[in-house]
């Protein structure tokens, strides 16, 4: 039973996924279906967490929109996620940045990683 699930999940994994980490600012291009039309919508924000691994891996992106915090979670290998573009690299020291939810202004920023 376990081998069957692994084979199915291996077939669903995308061949190429952009490399990004927690703290990075990314643009996620997602397919949105409205009625019988399909379009691409961009969502730009900071990656606050990545969970699980393999075919079930998800990531959460947070942004401020008109003073209101908005978070969206996508499966990494979903066919609805067209591509992920890294805008800037962030320098963080933890795996989950949930503390950004309570912060506003300058304290809600993540330092940029200079390479």
């Amino acid at each position: 039973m376990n081998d069957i699930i692994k084979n199915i999940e291996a077939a669903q994994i995308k061949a190429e996924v952009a490399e990004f980490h927690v703290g990075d600012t990314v643009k996620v291009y997602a397919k949105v279906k409205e009625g019988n039309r399909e379009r691409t919508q961009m969502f730009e924000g900071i990656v606050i967490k990545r969970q699980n691994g393999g075919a079930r891996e998800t990531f959460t992106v947070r942004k401020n929109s008109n003073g209101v915090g908005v978070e969206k979670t996508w499966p990494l290998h979903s066919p609805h996620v067209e591509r992920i573009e890294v805008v800037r690299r962030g320098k963080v020291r933890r795996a989950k940045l949930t503390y950004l939810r309570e912060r506003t202004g300058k304290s809600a920023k993540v330092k940029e990683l200079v390479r």
Side-chain angles (χ1 to χ4, degrees):
M1 182 71 178
N2 221 1
D3 294 332
I4 297 169
I5 294 172
K6 286 181 183 177
N7 290 338
I8 292 170
E9 286 182 352
Q12 293 174 345
I13 289 180
K14 285 184 181 177
E16 211 170 294
V17 178
E19 186 176 326
F20 65 96
H21 303 283
V22 173
D24 293 352
T25 302
V26 295
K27 288 182 183 177
V28 180
Y29 293 88
K31 293 179 188 172
V32 177
K33 195 165 190 175
E34 295 171 334
N36 57 353
R37 294 178 6 174
E38 195 173 272
R39 65 182 178 86
T40 303
Q41 184 174 5
M42 195 247 328
F43 189 91
E44 183 175 355
I46 298 173
V47 178
I48 62 167
K49 67 180 170 180
R50 282 182 77 164
Q51 288 184 303
N52 307 327
R56 300 176 190 173
E57 186 170 358
T58 61
F59 65 100
T60 303
V61 179
R62 180 180 177 82
K63 75 172 181 177
N64 270 357
S65 180
N66 298 324
V68 178
V70 179
E71 288 183 13
K72 283 192 176 184
T73 303
W74 288 281
L76 186 62
H77 298 285
S78 170
H80 293 291
V81 176
E82 255 181 36
R83 70 182 192 271
I84 301 165
E85 212 175 271
V86 178
V87 177
R88 56 183 279 239
R89 301 274 178 194
K91 182 181 179 187
V92 294
R93 296 176 65 180
R94 54 186 67 207
K96 303 234 183 338
L97 305 180
T98 55
Y99 66 88
L100 291 178
R101 292 175 179 158
E102 289 86 43
R103 300 198 178 178
T104 57
K106 234 179 181 180
S107 65
K109 296 216 184 315
V110 174
K111 289 184 181 177
E112 188 165 3
L113 182 66
V114 181
R115 289 187 182 174

